[in-house]
Amino acid sequence: MSRKINASLFISLDGVVEAPDQWHFPYFDDEMGAAVGASLNATEVMLFGRVTYDSFAGAWPGREAAGGDDAGFAKQLGDMRKIVFSRGRLDLEWRNSEQAHGDVAEVAAALKSEPGGDISLSGSVSVVRQLLAAGLLDELHLFVHPIAVRKGMRLFDEGEPSIPLKLLTSRTFTTGVLHLVYGPDTAPPTGGYEEAVATLPE
């Protein structure tokens, strides 16, 4: 059985995924922490775009060293294998970090064919988009926050082919955040206006 590739994103009602540190934290609670932790516990390899990696590497090693409440989570991240995609050459100081050699699809496909635990992403929207387009993403975890941010990059850009997805699970947290898990839909619904009208009551 091949490994799974899972991506987790904090997303607003209007689809914004950029800079969640500016709007996400008021909604973070034990429920969300448990959901994020459950995904991480099954993870052996993490994939990053450069910007997200820089953000993580700039924060979590220091938190691990500080020994606070989140030191255990920080150590878990540090101990994982971390693969970073970037067009430029990187000098990676966070332990167990390496730069990807090859494009997103070929590296992810090779990793997926190897034995081991899950491969995960947190953020790294450009990488998530490429995995979705290549059909390599098994689960897309969206933590939908009840806020319209109204500025910033959205998960899905315009002008690209549509990507059918199916809802695998859903859960509502007490904060109003929805945890929606989607997978690829290999047999999406078909039909058009005429078929839809035919289902309406007379």
Side-chain angles (χ1 to χ4, degrees):
M1 185 175 179
S2 64
R3 313 163 90 172
K4 289 197 305 182
I5 302 181
N6 307 316
S8 297
L9 293 166
F10 300 138
I11 185 168
S12 68
L13 277 180
D14 52 345
V16 173
V17 288
E18 186 177 352
D21 57 294
Q22 297 179 15
W23 46 266
H24 151 72
F25 287 111
Y27 300 95
F28 193 89
D29 63 0
D30 290 343
E31 285 182 298
M32 188 183 295
V36 172
S39 176
L40 192 68
N41 288 337
T43 297
E44 189 171 282
V45 181
M46 290 197 73
L47 306 181
F48 289 95
R50 183 190 58 78
V51 173
T52 302
Y53 175 84
D54 286 347
S55 175
F56 273 55
W60 289 110
R63 292 177 185 176
E64 181 180 353
D69 291 341
D70 56 2
F73 182 78
K75 182 182 185 303
Q76 195 174 4
L77 287 173
D79 289 344
M80 287 180 188
R81 182 184 180 193
K82 294 171 283 292
I83 299 176
V84 188
F85 293 92
S86 176
R87 293 187 181 89
R89 183 174 177 80
L90 301 175
D91 182 17
L92 305 175
E93 297 183 358
W94 194 12
R95 70 181 186 278
N96 299 319
S97 299
E98 62 194 81
Q99 185 166 357
H101 299 289
D103 65 28
V104 169
E106 64 186 16
V107 170
L111 286 169
K112 200 170 182 179
S113 68
E114 297 172 358
D118 289 349
I119 303 157
S120 295
L121 301 90
S122 180
S124 301
V125 177
S126 64
V127 180
V128 172
R129 286 175 175 174
Q130 292 176 71
L131 292 172
L132 279 168
L136 291 170
L137 194 65
D138 296 286
E139 292 184 1
L140 176 62
H141 292 245
L142 297 180
F143 293 89
V144 185
H145 291 55
I147 182 173
V149 175
R150 304 185 69 184
K151 62 179 180 179
M153 179 174 60
R154 287 163 170 76
L155 173 55
F156 299 108
D157 50 358
E158 297 183 6
E160 299 295 330
S162 60
I163 301 173
L165 299 170
K166 62 180 177 182
L167 184 64
L168 303 178
T169 63
S170 64
R171 182 182 171 193
T172 304
F173 298 151
T174 55
T175 57
V177 171
L178 300 177
H179 179 199
L180 307 177
V181 182
Y182 290 93
D185 192 347
T186 56
T190 59
Y193 175 77
E194 289 78 10
E195 289 82 359
V197 170
T199 65
L200 296 175
E202 296 182 1

